[in-house]
Amino acid sequence: MPVSRIFGEKEFWGLSFYINEYCLDPRPETETLIEAILKATPNKKTPLNIVDFGTGSGCILISLLHEFPNARGIGVDISPDALEVAHHNAQALDVINRVTFVCSDWGKALPQENQFDIIVSNPPYIESDVILTLDKEVSHFDPSLALDGGKKGLNTYEILIPQIKFFLKQGGKAFFEIGKGQEADILRLVEKTHATLRALHPDLAGIVRGVEISCGDK
Ligand code: GLN
């Protein structure tokens, strides 16, 4: 069992997150998304409106709210149990007054308005067949809902990428974590929806982990 699961605690972006069996164990490579968003938004006072799809423990959204003291955010997850974890973390890490949690199958329960400056997500992106071949630390302890991206690992991007245009404000950007080598598939999906792939963000090992997407000419 991973140490973080024994202690029910994991550090992410220098903050300590409570975790349990209902959420993904936050990964250091996911910090690439936070770095990419900081790079794209140099003014930390910007009153960003952020949505985090598949918030899990809430680690991405809560870390962003720490970096951007005037930002507000919505954490979306289909699992009410994961949302309880995220709620706990938002309270413990003192951002509860700037966050709302919504139980939803991706964007379904959100109003389709162009309301967000930032869309962020670390969706499940592992190919279904590959999950059982992963280390036991992963396959036995991370919820499969948080890992399983379908046959090619792309199911969630096929849902999320076309939704970008409904949710982003003018000038807004979407940041997604991707699996190793998925960038060509992501580019194809982005081009299908007339969005633009603005940048690829490698992690510390040089693997492309983050994609930065804007919507058409917005
Ligand atoms: N957003 C959470 C994280 O990055 C959960 C992601 C997921 O469950 N796929 O850790």
Side-chain angles (χ1 to χ4, degrees), residues 24-27 30 52 54-60 122-124 146-147:
L24 190 83
D25 191 354
R27 307 291 207 272
T30 301
D52 176 16
T55 198
S57 63
C59 62
I60 299 175
N122 172 23
L147 298 173

Side-chain angles (χ1 to χ4, degrees), residues 6-7 22 28 34 47 64 73 76 87 92 95 100 112 128-130 147 157-158 176 182 189 192-193 196 200 212:
I6 297 169
F7 291 106
Y22 301 115
I34 313 285
L64 289 172
V76 175
H87 190 272
V95 295
T100 310
Q112 289 200 347
S128 306
D129 290 350
V130 171
L147 298 173
Y157 304 110
E158 282 166 357
F176 299 132
Q182 286 179 332
L189 288 173
K192 258 211 259 181
T193 66
T196 308
L200 300 174
E212 179 175 335

Side-chain angles (χ1 to χ4, degrees), residues 136-154:
K136 288 202 178 85
E137 287 200 359
V138 176
S139 60
H140 286 197
F141 296 103
D142 279 312
S144 63
L145 195 59
L147 298 173
D148 192 344
K151 199 163 186 292
K152 292 185 174 165
L154 299 170

Side-chain angles (χ1 to χ4, degrees), residues 89-110:
N89 283 322
Q91 218 148 23
L93 294 165
D94 223 16
V95 295
I96 194 73
N97 55 347
R98 293 188 284 132
V99 72
T100 310
F101 292 108
V102 176
C103 190
S104 172
D105 185 4
W106 306 116
K108 276 190 192 154
L110 295 182

Side-chain angles (χ1 to χ4, degrees), residues 15-205:
L15 301 168
S16 176
F17 287 86
Y18 162 69
I19 62 156
N20 67 16
E21 68 269 35
Y22 301 115
C23 62
L24 190 83
D25 191 354
R27 307 291 207 272
E29 58 268 28
T30 301
E31 295 182 341
T32 309
L33 289 181
I34 313 285
E35 279 159 9
I37 293 168
L38 283 169
K39 202 166 151 197
T41 321
N43 181 1
K44 290 198 181 182
K45 301 235 165 77
T46 313
L48 296 173
N49 211 10
I50 304 168
V51 61
D52 176 16
F53 286 116
T55 198
S57 63
C59 62
I60 299 175
L61 181 58
I62 293 169
S63 301
L64 289 172
L65 294 180
H66 263 251
E67 289 293 337
F68 296 97
N70 299 318
R72 308 187 67 79
I74 299 183
V76 175
D77 209 289
I78 198 168
S79 157
D81 295 314
L83 287 174
E84 260 183 49
V85 176
H87 190 272
H88 173 97
N89 283 322
Q91 218 148 23
L93 294 165
D94 223 16
V95 295
I96 194 73
N97 55 347
R98 293 188 284 132
V99 72
T100 310
F101 292 108
V102 176
C103 190
S104 172
D105 185 4
W106 306 116
K108 276 190 192 154
L110 295 182
Q112 289 200 347
E113 291 166 23
N114 300 81
Q115 55 173 330
F116 297 106
D117 303 286
I118 304 272
I119 295 174
V120 66
S121 183
N122 172 23
Y125 55 70
I126 315 276
E127 293 101 310
S128 306
D129 290 350
V130 171
I131 291 179
L132 286 175
T133 69
L134 298 175
D135 286 350
K136 288 202 178 85
E137 287 200 359
V138 176
S139 60
H140 286 197
F141 296 103
D142 279 312
S144 63
L145 195 59
L147 298 173
D148 192 344
K151 199 163 186 292
K152 292 185 174 165
L154 299 170
N155 284 10
T156 33
Y157 304 110
E158 282 166 357
I159 296 168
L160 285 177
I161 289 174
Q163 292 190 4
I164 290 175
K165 60 176 174 291
F166 295 111
F167 292 120
L168 274 192
K169 272 187 202 166
Q170 188 89 10
K173 282 183 174 162
F175 297 81
F176 299 132
E177 181 167 323
I178 64 168
K180 190 174 175 186
Q182 286 179 332
E183 52 270 36
D185 290 316
I186 300 294
L187 178 61
R188 245 191 316 276
L189 288 173
V190 168
E191 283 175 342
K192 258 211 259 181
T193 66
H194 306 293
T196 308
L197 184 59
R198 295 268 170 199
L200 300 174
H201 297 277
D203 65 14
L204 294 174

